């Protein structure tokens, strides 16, 4: 009887902790299962590149009427401003932050976050995987967008011998910074999403931090205000895309290139750690 019991008894299977690569795969599926991600990214790409093309075509069309002095000034800043126009990149910043916020807020509002943590109690690992997938996707998106905007705009300006090549000093830095800005803003959005757990509140907070705050503290009258401005992601990006900052925008308290890179890295790290801490300590 004992032998029969032993033979018919079902084996006990003990599941180990989820592997990080499995969490990455799960977050990858969840990321692309959001309909907003599938149609927002192509639309934002077309808008940003379209604004860049429009700016380049305007300078191409008006080039014969530019004076010699204006052409010399254009050669100092025009090509990069056409490649990365602020109007297009402000939308890109907000769209990236919104998508980052939705990676967290969407799960909280749908209740899926409870299922996720029931399956994987290691919350830190879940959020780390979420941040890794988000950063990877948005970095790829930012790279494609920045590269396309640059090459298309410079191809248009090249017909007037006014375009830049990627090998000129400071140009590659501008392209890389424009690509990196996208995942930075997405991670900031994710951190704010973990803080507010509400889509509208997260978007409002992201707009305030990433867009409105630089406008409010953009002043060179006091050093502490200038330092505060230089510590914001938008200001860091604007510094990194300036190929001739001393000529175009003389500043008594200028940000350094190294400091601007560190600013972007610090915001990414702080936003990720904030999301991990908030989600770890608060109930779903």
């Amino acid at each position: 009887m004992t032998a029969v019991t032993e033979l018919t008894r079902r084996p006990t299977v003990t599941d180990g902790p989820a592997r990080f690569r499995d969490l990455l795969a799960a977050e990858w599926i969840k990321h692309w299962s959001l309909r907003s991600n599938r149609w927002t990214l192509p639309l934002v790409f077309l808008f940003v590149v379209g604004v860049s093309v429009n700016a380049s075509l305007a300078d191409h069309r008006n080039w014969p009427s530019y004076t010699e002095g204006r052409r010399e000034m254009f050669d100092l800043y025009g090509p990069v401003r056409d490649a990365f126009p602020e109007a297009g990149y402000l939308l890109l910043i907000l769209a990236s932050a919104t998508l980052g916020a939705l990676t967290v807020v969407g799960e909280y509002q749908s209740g899926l976050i409870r299922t996720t943590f029931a399956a994987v109690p290691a919350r830190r690992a879940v959020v780390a995987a979420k941040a890794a997938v988000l950063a990877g996707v948005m970095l790829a998106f930012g790279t494609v967008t920045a590269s396309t905007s640059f090459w298309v705009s410079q191809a248009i300006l090249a017909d007037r011998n006014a375009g830049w090549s990627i090998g000129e000093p400071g140009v590659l830095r501008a392209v890389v910074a424009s690509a990196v800005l996208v995942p930075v803003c997405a991670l900031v959005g994710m951190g704010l999403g973990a803080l507010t757990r509400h889509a509208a509140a997260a978007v409002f907070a992201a707009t305030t931090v990433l867009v409105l705050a630089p406008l409010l503290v953009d002043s060179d009258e006091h050093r502490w205000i200038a330092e505060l401005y230089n510590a914001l992601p938008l200001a860091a990006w604007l510094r990194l895309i300036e190929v001739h900052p001393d000529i175009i925008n003389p500043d008594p308290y200028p940000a350094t290139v190294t400091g601007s890179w560190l600013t972007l890295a610090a915001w990414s790290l702080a936003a990720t750690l904030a999301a991990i801490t908030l989600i770890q300590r608060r109930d779903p």
Side-chain angles (χ1 to χ4, degrees), residues 60-141:
H60 181 278
R61 181 174 57 255
N62 297 326
W63 188 260
S65 64
Y66 288 172
T67 63
E68 189 64 28
R70 184 168 182 178
R71 291 185 182 185
E72 292 178 359
M73 288 298 295
F74 181 86
D75 187 56
L76 295 175
Y77 69 90
V80 75
R81 294 291 177 84
D82 285 352
F84 312 115
E86 287 189 34
Y89 267 76
L90 287 178
L91 175 67
L92 182 59
I93 288 171
L94 294 178
S96 301
T98 300
L99 293 179
L102 289 178
T103 60
V104 174
V105 174
E107 286 199 64
Y108 274 103
Q109 293 185 339
S110 66
L112 180 61
I113 196 71
R114 292 185 175 85
T115 303
T116 299
F117 290 150
V120 185
R123 297 188 180 188
R124 293 189 183 94
V126 172
V127 182
K130 193 182 294 294
V133 170
L134 177 66
V137 170
M138 299 309 286
L139 178 60
F141 174 69

Side-chain angles (χ1 to χ4, degrees), residues 59 63 71 74-75 78-79 154 156-164:
D59 283 318
W63 188 260
R71 291 185 182 185
F74 181 86
D75 187 56
Q154 302 316 299
I156 294 172
L157 295 173
D159 188 53
R160 301 292 191 183
N161 294 320
W164 286 349

Side-chain angles (χ1 to χ4, degrees), residues 157-179:
L157 295 173
D159 188 53
R160 301 292 191 183
N161 294 320
W164 286 349
S165 68
I166 194 68
E168 295 187 35
V171 175
L172 178 60
R173 183 188 70 219
V175 176
V176 173
S178 299

Side-chain angles (χ1 to χ4, degrees), residues 190-235:
M190 186 185 75
L192 294 173
L195 175 64
T196 62
R197 299 189 180 184
H198 191 278
V203 172
F204 176 78
T207 303
T208 301
V209 172
L210 298 174
V211 177
L212 297 181
L215 299 177
L216 296 176
V217 299
D218 187 7
S219 173
D220 56 8
E221 294 182 1
H222 304 284
R223 185 179 186 88
W224 70 272
I225 297 179
E227 294 294 344
L228 181 60
Y229 172 78
N230 292 335
L232 296 172
L234 180 61

Side-chain angles (χ1 to χ4, degrees), residues 20-38:
F20 191 70
R21 64 182 181 184
D22 295 329
L23 297 179
L24 290 175
E27 292 301 328
W28 174 268
I29 294 173
K30 284 192 285 186
H31 180 86
W32 292 113
S33 66
L34 291 175
R35 188 176 303 174
S36 57
N37 290 343
R38 296 198 300 269

